[in-house]
Amino acid sequence: MIDFQSAASLRSGAMELIQQHPELSAYLAADDVIDHEHPLVRKTAALLRPTTPSAYAYAEAAYTFVRDTIPHSHDAGDERVPWRASDVIGRRTGICHAKAHALAALLRAEGIPTALCYQRLADDDGSNPVLHGLVAVRLPGHGDWLRQDPRGNRPGVDARFSVDGERLAFTVRTEYGEVDYPQLYAAPHPAVLGALRAAPDRSSLWRTLPAAL
């Protein structure tokens, strides 16, 4: 079995994912963004917990909750820009980064190490690059970090919770300059968080989200 505390880089599919912090405890921490000690996060975790007898089942329930009951604000036409996990859960809206924060909080609340990770995506002609946010989890008895994307499905997007190969919202297209970043962050990337905090609405946020790490 892989030593959780000392493994600094692990494989997920064909890409090597690299822990920003060598200690797994960093991926269980609470902060101002992933505020999993907040009463609403704890209450939501407790509501998901009774029907989930294992960490795997709970992780899938939390993933499905965030993917399906918190609409992506672009899909819903919602201009609000929550970024703190408890606010995303309470307001039931958020872009991909915000939904990743919410899922990370729900998973960390139940002791499941969760990292934030990123992709660089673009339009079909390679224009308008932007950072997309998702998470990676470490489940008991599983040696790899497993990336999961709670963005929310729509026509052409069919992301699912999976421990047997990734089922992400987007597969990067290197020919268009898209990138899978291998770094696993314990906290949101400062450039992403800065844009979220400063944006008065989602329309403004689209103009200020970073295009690359």
Side-chain angles (χ1 to χ4, degrees):
M1 181 181 294
I2 292 177
D3 180 357
F4 274 14
Q5 296 302 322
S6 62
S9 78
L10 302 148
R11 295 195 61 80
S12 178
M15 186 178 68
E16 186 177 27
L17 298 175
I18 304 168
Q19 289 181 209
Q20 183 190 31
H21 293 280
E23 297 297 328
L24 203 63
S25 59
Y27 300 92
L28 290 168
D31 57 26
D32 189 44
V33 181
I34 305 174
D35 57 340
H36 64 73
E37 296 176 347
H38 189 281
L40 179 58
V41 178
R42 294 288 180 176
K43 178 181 178 181
T44 305
L47 290 172
L48 293 169
R49 190 188 313 128
T51 58
T52 55
S54 71
Y56 284 80
Y58 174 81
E60 183 172 16
Y63 169 87
T64 302
F65 171 82
V66 174
R67 185 194 65 184
D68 294 349
T69 73
I70 302 176
H72 190 289
S73 55
H74 176 72
D75 297 348
D78 194 323
E79 286 292 304
R80 293 175 293 172
V81 188
W83 46 266
R84 183 179 288 112
S86 58
D87 289 337
V88 177
I89 294 170
R91 298 182 184 185
R92 295 296 178 94
T93 190
I95 68 165
C96 58
H97 300 287
K99 294 186 68 172
H101 300 167
L103 180 55
L106 288 171
L107 294 174
R108 291 185 186 185
E110 291 296 306
I112 298 173
T114 307
L116 301 170
C117 43
Y118 301 93
Q119 295 175 317
R120 182 181 190 262
L121 303 176
D123 290 342
D124 287 342
D125 60 358
S127 63
N128 300 315
V130 68
L131 282 182
H132 174 63
L134 56 160
V135 306
V137 301
R138 287 291 300 277
L139 292 167
H142 203 295
D144 292 339
W145 282 97
L146 306 168
R147 292 196 301 173
Q148 314 290 342
D149 192 341
R151 179 225 178 270
N153 290 337
R154 65 184 188 192
V157 175
D158 185 24
R160 302 190 183 190
F161 182 85
S162 176
V163 298
D164 299 312
E166 294 182 339
R167 295 292 302 273
L168 305 180
F170 306 104
T171 300
V172 301
R173 305 166 297 176
T174 55
E175 65 271 26
Y176 296 121
E178 296 183 338
V179 178
D180 267 322
Y181 292 103
Q183 290 84 8
L184 300 174
Y185 293 90
H189 192 282
V192 172
L193 184 57
L196 286 166
R197 281 177 156 162
D201 52 48
R202 181 177 48 81
S203 297
S204 301
L205 178 61
W206 286 160
R207 298 190 292 271
T208 57
L209 272 175
L213 291 182

